[in-house]
Amino acid sequence: MGLGERSFDVAVDPELKIELGKQGIFVTTIQELYNWGRKSSVWPMQFGLACCAIEMIATTMARYDLARFGAEVFRPSPRQADLMIVSGTVTKKMAPQVVRLYNQMAEPRYVIAMGACAISGGPFKQGYNVLKGIDRYIPVDVHIPGCPPRPEALLQAFMTLQKKIDEQSLTGENRPRYLNVDAPGEFPVPEQGEHDLVPASNPNVWTVPVVIR
Amino acid sequence: MPPMTSSPYFSLAILFFGALGFGLAPLGLAWLWAHTFAPPKPNAIKNAIYECGLESKGDAWVQFRSGYYLYAIIFLIFDVETVFLLPFAVAFTGLTAGACLAMLVFVLLLVEGLAWAWAKGVLTWQ
Ligand code: SF4
């Protein structure tokens, strides 16, 4: 295990690793061990917002069995959770609470936006009272479309997230936000304004799309 | 003086330090890991006490009306007394005079409370 200065991601030549593996010698890096440990025991936060939550619950039950991925421990407190599954409609009244809960989760934390509502407002997009996507305020790692997405879709999102965790590097320029001292750890909680949430989005995580006609 | 290793407590001391290391090493490693890789990012929202998403309002040190102590006394009289009266009645024939006297003192104490509550008008339904 070569632990060169700032070179955790290239500590072992991949081809050499495969070659050694064929001979029955397994090499790994601290980074791989670390990522393997994290991706194999993601603890989701226990909260559901609307109909999509029913599918999320179904995913954790025996038939779909989220426990296969080490993620059956739904925590009722943000302090103990590292995955937020935004499952359902985020109304503008609920959005500040969701953002505050996200802020209270311990790093590293991940977000899966589940369902049409959570990613875009869904069937209520034209309404006045539903947030048009939770990614306006917090960084979302995996979006799942569907109304509601089937449990298989949530499992797929889960595997995508695991892949994403597996590829994160401990050091270097493209290390994730939570390992970067300068990156912000707080995401401003919106407040109820006269007509809408204020601010309407967090410019650090979401840019207002330009409509080209 | 015999060498230290021949003391009967020597192996115990070794075990003690082994156990201590077993507990402290993971803590130390975790601390080292956090120190090297994971910068702490505390902020006001994260450090807030209440964690259900809502902001806490007001003071947690709210005072309950002292009038509720009356309910506590009545509860003691009618509930706890029954719990003791039943075994008292069952074992009554086999009890010594001393035990009987102790039990009567206990009942008397509660009856005093009842009389007091009665006199205060707590028992009348308004
Ligand atoms: S996406 Fe569909 S199923 Fe999910 S919360 Fe919205 S309306 Fe309900």
Side-chain angles (χ1 to χ4, degrees), chain A residues 23-89:
Chain A
Q23 310 294 327
I25 301 169
F26 294 98
V27 280
T28 185
T29 55
I30 284 192
Q31 178 182 302
E32 275 177 14
L33 272 179
Y34 175 60
N35 286 343
W36 172 76
R38 279 189 314 139
K39 80 167 192 204
S40 315
S41 83
V42 176
W43 287 12
M45 190 155 77
Q46 187 171 16
F47 87 116
L49 293 177
C51 8
C52 275
I54 305 294
E55 297 295 305
M56 177 182 74
I57 297 162
T59 316
T60 65
M61 291 293 137
R63 184 170 177 131
Y64 297 99
D65 196 11
L66 196 60
R68 290 176 291 158
F69 302 89
E72 76 279 22
V73 197
F74 275 65
R75 305 311 290 187
S77 159
R79 317 275 189 210
Q80 302 167 358
D82 44 17
L83 168 65
M84 177 183 244
I85 303 177
V86 184
S87 54
T89 321

Side-chain angles (χ1 to χ4, degrees), chain B residues 76 79-90 103 106-107 110:
Chain B
L76 265 185
D79 201 280
V80 181
E81 190 178 11
T82 325
V83 170
F84 283 105
L85 274 186
L86 194 71
F88 178 53
V90 170
M103 201 55 210
F106 171 69
V107 172
L110 290 175

Side-chain angles (χ1 to χ4, degrees), chain A residues 6-190:
Chain A
R6 305 221 153 254
S7 62
F8 289 96
D9 33 354
V10 288
V12 191
D13 176 29
E15 277 173 36
L16 177 66
K17 202 175 144 183
I18 296 169
E19 196 54 43
L20 284 170
K22 282 183 194 154
Q23 310 294 327
I25 301 169
F26 294 98
V27 280
T28 185
T29 55
I30 284 192
Q31 178 182 302
E32 275 177 14
L33 272 179
Y34 175 60
N35 286 343
W36 172 76
R38 279 189 314 139
K39 80 167 192 204
S40 315
S41 83
V42 176
W43 287 12
M45 190 155 77
Q46 187 171 16
F47 87 116
L49 293 177
C51 8
C52 275
I54 305 294
E55 297 295 305
M56 177 182 74
I57 297 162
T59 316
T60 65
M61 291 293 137
R63 184 170 177 131
Y64 297 99
D65 196 11
L66 196 60
R68 290 176 291 158
F69 302 89
E72 76 279 22
V73 197
F74 275 65
R75 305 311 290 187
S77 159
R79 317 275 189 210
Q80 302 167 358
D82 44 17
L83 168 65
M84 177 183 244
I85 303 177
V86 184
S87 54
T89 321
V90 188
T91 58
K92 286 186 179 161
K93 195 157 188 182
M94 194 62 191
Q97 276 72 263
V98 174
V99 179
R100 190 172 292 114
L101 283 175
Y102 177 75
N103 273 306
Q104 291 184 337
M105 285 162 66
E107 306 270 16
R109 51 195 177 197
Y110 305 94
V111 179
I112 292 180
M114 179 183 184
C117 284
I119 66 177
S120 69
F124 316 109
K125 190 173 174 69
Q126 311 302 332
Y128 65 96
N129 63 337
V130 170
L131 186 68
K132 295 165 182 60
I134 191 63
D135 50 2
R136 290 175 185 230
Y137 292 112
I138 56 180
V140 174
D141 293 282
V142 187
H143 296 77
I144 332 173
C147 179
R150 285 190 55 87
E152 290 93 334
L154 184 55
L155 290 179
Q156 166 75 27
F158 219 87
M159 284 148 72
T160 312
L161 179 69
Q162 285 189 320
K163 216 172 279 168
K164 188 170 177 178
I165 295 176
D166 212 19
E167 281 160 10
Q168 288 187 330
S169 58
L170 267 179
T171 51
E173 268 315 296
N174 42 18
R175 66 188 187 278
R177 179 188 55 77
Y178 73 94
L179 291 177
N180 191 344
V181 189
D182 308 318
E186 182 179 356
F187 293 80
V189 177

Side-chain angles (χ1 to χ4, degrees), chain B residues 1 3 17 21-24 29 39 44 56 60 63 68 71 74 86 116-117:
Chain B
M1 199 177 129
F17 283 112
F22 207 76
L24 290 183
L29 279 178
S56 47
Q63 290 178 336
Y68 286 125
Y71 291 98
I74 303 286
L86 194 71
W116 177 82

